[in-house]
Coordinates of all heavy atoms in Angstrom, one line a residue:
Y1 N 26.3 37.1 -30.0 CA 27.6 37.4 -30.6 C 27.5 38.8 -31.2 O 26.5 39.2 -31.8 CB 28.0 36.4 -31.6 CG 28.1 35.1 -31.1 CD1 27.1 34.1 -31.4 CD2 29.1 34.6 -30.4 CE1 27.1 32.8 -31.0 CE2 29.2 33.3 -29.9 CZ 28.1 32.4 -30.2 OH 28.2 31.1 -29.7
R2 N 28.7 39.5 -31.1 CA 28.7 40.8 -31.8 C 29.4 40.5 -33.2 O 30.1 39.5 -33.4 CB 29.7 41.8 -31.1 CG 29.1 42.3 -29.8 CD 30.0 43.4 -29.2 NE 31.4 43.2 -29.5 CZ 32.2 42.9 -28.5 NH1 31.8 42.7 -27.3 NH2 33.4 42.8 -28.8
I3 N 29.0 41.4 -34.2 CA 29.5 41.2 -35.5 C 30.7 42.1 -35.6 O 30.6 43.3 -35.3 CB 28.4 41.5 -36.5 CG1 27.1 40.7 -36.4 CG2 28.9 41.4 -38.0 CD1 27.4 39.2 -36.5
G4 N 31.8 41.6 -36.1 CA 33.0 42.4 -36.4 C 33.7 42.1 -37.6 O 33.1 41.3 -38.4
N5 N 34.8 42.7 -37.9 CA 35.6 42.4 -39.1 C 36.6 41.4 -38.8 O 36.7 40.9 -37.6 CB 36.2 43.7 -39.7 CG 37.1 44.4 -38.7 OD1 37.6 43.7 -37.8 ND2 37.3 45.6 -38.9
S6 N 37.2 40.9 -39.8 CA 38.1 39.7 -39.7 C 39.4 40.0 -38.7 O 39.9 39.2 -38.1 CB 38.6 39.2 -41.0 OG 39.3 40.3 -41.7
E7 N 39.7 41.3 -38.6 CA 40.9 41.7 -37.8 C 40.5 41.7 -36.3 O 41.4 41.2 -35.5 CB 41.4 43.2 -38.1 CG 42.1 43.3 -39.5 CD 41.1 43.4 -40.6 OE1 40.0 44.0 -40.4 OE2 41.4 42.9 -41.7
N8 N 39.3 41.9 -35.9 CA 39.1 42.0 -34.5 C 38.1 40.9 -33.9 O 37.6 40.9 -32.8 CB 38.5 43.3 -34.0 CG 37.1 43.7 -34.6 OD1 36.6 42.9 -35.3 ND2 36.7 44.9 -34.3
A9 N 37.8 39.9 -34.8 CA 36.8 38.9 -34.4 C 37.5 37.7 -33.8 O 38.6 37.4 -34.1 CB 36.1 38.4 -35.7
D10 N 36.7 37.1 -32.9 CA 37.2 35.8 -32.3 C 37.1 34.6 -33.2 O 37.8 33.7 -33.0 CB 36.5 35.5 -31.0 CG 36.7 36.7 -29.9 OD1 37.9 37.3 -29.9 OD2 35.8 37.0 -29.3
A11 N 36.1 34.7 -34.1 CA 35.8 33.5 -35.0 C 35.3 34.1 -36.2 O 34.9 35.2 -36.3 CB 34.8 32.6 -34.4
T12 N 35.4 33.3 -37.3 CA 34.9 33.7 -38.7 C 33.9 32.6 -39.2 O 34.2 31.5 -39.0 CB 36.0 33.8 -39.7 OG1 36.9 34.9 -39.2 CG2 35.5 34.3 -41.0
L13 N 32.7 33.1 -39.5 CA 31.7 32.1 -40.1 C 31.7 32.3 -41.6 O 31.4 33.3 -42.1 CB 30.3 32.5 -39.6 CG 29.1 31.8 -40.1 CD1 29.2 30.3 -39.7 CD2 27.9 32.3 -39.7
K14 N 32.1 31.2 -42.3 CA 32.1 31.2 -43.7 C 31.1 30.3 -44.2 O 30.8 29.2 -43.6 CB 33.4 30.7 -44.2 CG 34.6 31.6 -43.9 CD 35.9 31.1 -44.4 CE 37.0 32.0 -44.0 NZ 38.4 31.6 -44.5
G15 N 30.4 30.6 -45.3 CA 29.3 29.9 -45.9 C 29.4 29.8 -47.3 O 30.0 30.6 -48.0
E16 N 28.8 28.6 -47.9 CA 28.9 28.4 -49.3 C 27.5 27.9 -49.7 O 27.0 27.0 -49.1 CB 30.0 27.4 -49.6 CG 30.2 27.1 -51.0 CD 31.4 26.2 -51.3 OE1 32.5 26.6 -51.2 OE2 31.0 24.9 -51.5
I17 N 26.9 28.6 -50.8 CA 25.7 28.3 -51.3 C 25.9 27.3 -52.5 O 26.5 27.8 -53.5 CB 24.9 29.5 -51.6 CG1 24.7 30.4 -50.4 CG2 23.5 29.1 -52.2 CD1 24.2 31.8 -50.8
I18 N 25.7 26.1 -52.3 CA 26.0 25.1 -53.4 C 24.8 24.8 -54.3 O 25.1 24.8 -55.5 CB 26.4 23.7 -52.6 CG1 27.7 24.0 -51.9 CG2 26.7 22.7 -53.7 CD1 28.1 22.8 -51.0
R19 N 23.6 24.7 -53.8 CA 22.5 24.4 -54.6 C 21.2 25.0 -54.0 O 21.0 25.0 -52.8 CB 22.4 22.8 -54.8 CG 21.3 22.4 -55.7 CD 21.2 20.9 -55.8 NE 20.8 20.4 -54.4 CZ 20.9 19.1 -54.1 NH1 21.3 18.3 -54.9 NH2 20.5 18.8 -52.8
I20 N 20.3 25.3 -54.9 CA 19.0 25.7 -54.5 C 18.0 24.9 -55.2 O 17.9 24.8 -56.4 CB 18.8 27.2 -54.8 CG1 19.8 28.0 -54.0 CG2 17.4 27.7 -54.5 CD1 19.9 29.5 -54.5
S21 N 17.1 24.1 -54.4 CA 16.1 23.3 -55.0 C 14.8 23.3 -54.2 O 14.8 23.8 -53.1 CB 16.6 21.9 -55.1 OG 16.9 21.4 -53.8
R22 N 13.8 22.6 -54.7 CA 12.5 22.6 -54.1 C 11.9 21.1 -54.3 O 12.1 20.5 -55.4 CB 11.6 23.5 -54.8 CG 10.2 23.5 -54.3 CD 9.3 24.5 -54.9 NE 8.8 23.9 -56.2 CZ 7.8 24.4 -56.9 NH1 7.2 25.4 -56.6 NH2 7.4 23.8 -58.0
S23 N 11.4 20.6 -53.3 CA 10.9 19.2 -53.4 C 9.5 19.1 -52.7 O 9.3 19.9 -51.7 CB 11.8 18.2 -52.7 OG 12.0 18.5 -51.3
P24 N 8.7 18.3 -53.1 CA 7.3 18.1 -52.5 C 7.4 17.5 -51.2 O 8.2 16.6 -50.9 CB 6.5 17.3 -53.5 CG 7.5 16.5 -54.3 CD 8.7 17.5 -54.4
A25 N 6.7 18.1 -50.2 CA 6.7 17.5 -48.8 C 5.4 16.8 -48.5 O 5.5 15.9 -47.7 CB 6.9 18.6 -47.8
R26 N 4.3 17.2 -49.0 CA 3.0 16.5 -48.7 C 2.1 16.6 -50.0 O 2.0 17.5 -50.6 CB 2.4 17.3 -47.6 CG 1.2 16.7 -46.9 CD 0.7 17.4 -45.8 NE 1.7 17.4 -44.8 CZ 1.6 17.8 -43.5 NH1 0.5 18.3 -43.2 NH2 2.6 17.8 -42.7
S27 N 1.5 15.4 -50.2 CA 0.6 15.3 -51.4 C -0.8 15.6 -50.9 O -1.2 15.6 -49.8 CB 0.6 13.9 -51.9 OG 1.9 13.6 -52.4
V28 N -1.7 16.0 -51.9 CA -3.1 16.2 -51.7 C -3.8 14.9 -51.4 O -3.4 13.8 -52.1 CB -3.7 16.9 -52.9 CG1 -5.2 17.0 -52.8 CG2 -3.1 18.2 -53.2
R29 N -4.7 14.8 -50.4 CA -5.3 13.5 -50.1 C -6.1 13.1 -51.3 O -6.9 13.9 -51.8 CB -6.2 13.8 -48.9 CG -6.9 12.5 -48.4 CD -7.7 12.8 -47.2 NE -6.8 12.9 -46.1 CZ -7.1 13.2 -44.9 NH1 -8.4 13.3 -44.6 NH2 -6.3 13.3 -43.9
G30 N -5.8 11.9 -51.7 CA -6.6 11.2 -52.8 C -5.9 11.4 -54.1 O -6.3 10.9 -55.1
N31 N -4.8 12.3 -54.2 CA -4.2 12.4 -55.5 C -2.6 12.6 -55.1 O -2.2 13.7 -54.8 CB -4.7 13.7 -56.1 CG -4.1 13.9 -57.5 OD1 -3.2 13.1 -57.9 ND2 -4.4 14.9 -58.2
V32 N -1.9 11.6 -55.2 CA -0.5 11.5 -54.8 C 0.3 12.4 -55.9 O 1.5 12.7 -55.7 CB 0.1 10.1 -54.8 CG1 -0.6 9.5 -53.5 CG2 -0.1 9.3 -56.1
L33 N -0.2 12.7 -57.1 CA 0.5 13.5 -58.0 C 0.5 15.0 -57.8 O 1.3 15.7 -58.3 CB 0.0 13.0 -59.5 CG 0.2 11.7 -59.9 CD1 -0.4 11.5 -61.3 CD2 1.6 11.2 -59.8
A34 N -0.5 15.4 -57.0 CA -0.7 16.9 -56.7 C 0.0 17.0 -55.3 O -0.1 16.3 -54.4 CB -2.1 17.3 -56.7
T35 N 0.7 18.2 -55.2 CA 1.3 18.6 -54.0 C 0.7 19.6 -53.3 O 0.3 20.7 -53.9 CB 2.8 19.0 -54.3 OG1 3.4 17.9 -55.0 CG2 3.6 19.3 -53.1
S36 N 0.6 19.5 -51.9 CA -0.1 20.6 -51.2 C 1.0 21.4 -50.3 O 0.7 22.5 -50.0 CB -1.1 20.0 -50.2 OG -0.5 19.1 -49.2
E37 N 2.1 20.8 -50.1 CA 3.3 21.5 -49.3 C 4.5 21.1 -50.0 O 4.8 20.0 -50.5 CB 3.3 21.0 -47.9 CG 2.4 21.7 -47.0 CD 2.5 21.3 -45.6 OE1 3.7 21.1 -45.2 OE2 1.6 21.3 -44.8
F38 N 5.5 22.2 -50.0 CA 6.7 22.0 -50.6 C 7.9 22.2 -49.5 O 7.6 23.1 -48.6 CB 7.0 22.9 -51.8 CG 6.3 22.6 -53.0 CD1 5.1 23.2 -53.4 CD2 6.9 21.7 -53.9 CE1 4.4 22.9 -54.5 CE2 6.2 21.4 -55.1 CZ 4.9 22.0 -55.4
N39 N 9.0 21.6 -49.7 CA 10.1 21.9 -48.9 C 10.9 22.9 -49.8 O 11.4 22.4 -50.9 CB 11.0 20.7 -48.5 CG 10.5 19.9 -47.4 OD1 9.7 20.4 -46.6 ND2 10.6 18.6 -47.6
L40 N 11.0 24.1 -49.5 CA 11.7 25.1 -50.3 C 13.1 25.2 -49.9 O 13.4 25.5 -48.6 CB 11.1 26.4 -50.2 CG 11.7 27.5 -51.0 CD1 11.6 27.2 -52.5 CD2 11.1 28.9 -50.7
A41 N 14.0 24.9 -50.8 CA 15.5 25.1 -50.4 C 16.0 26.1 -51.5 O 16.8 25.8 -52.3 CB 16.2 23.8 -50.6
M42 N 15.4 27.3 -51.3 CA 15.7 28.5 -52.2 C 15.7 28.2 -53.7 O 16.7 28.1 -54.3 CB 17.2 28.9 -51.8 CG 17.3 29.5 -50.4 SD 18.9 30.2 -50.3 CE 19.0 30.4 -48.6
R43 N 14.6 28.2 -54.2 CA 14.4 27.9 -55.6 C 13.7 29.2 -56.3 O 14.3 29.6 -57.3 CB 13.6 26.7 -55.9 CG 13.4 26.3 -57.3 CD 14.5 25.5 -57.8 NE 14.3 25.2 -59.2 CZ 15.3 24.9 -59.9 NH1 16.5 24.9 -59.6 NH2 15.1 24.5 -61.2
E44 N 12.7 29.6 -55.8 CA 11.9 30.7 -56.4 C 12.4 32.0 -55.9 O 12.7 32.2 -54.7 CB 10.4 30.6 -56.2 CG 9.9 29.3 -56.8 CD 8.5 29.0 -56.3 OE1 7.9 29.9 -55.7 OE2 8.0 27.9 -56.6
R45 N 12.7 32.9 -56.7 CA 13.2 34.2 -56.4 C 12.3 35.0 -55.3 O 12.8 35.6 -54.4 CB 13.4 35.2 -57.6 CG 14.1 36.4 -57.4 CD 15.5 36.1 -57.0 NE 16.2 37.4 -56.8 CZ 17.3 37.5 -56.1 NH1 18.0 36.4 -55.7 NH2 17.9 38.6 -55.9

């Protein structure tokens, strides 16, 4: 798709950033309290 302005575009893509968070995805083997991987949903700058 080409990027255009609202006057000459066939469609408009609107987005809303509601929340930014981080959650653990995988724990360290043998220690379920320690995390080895995170799912980052835009938390750290």
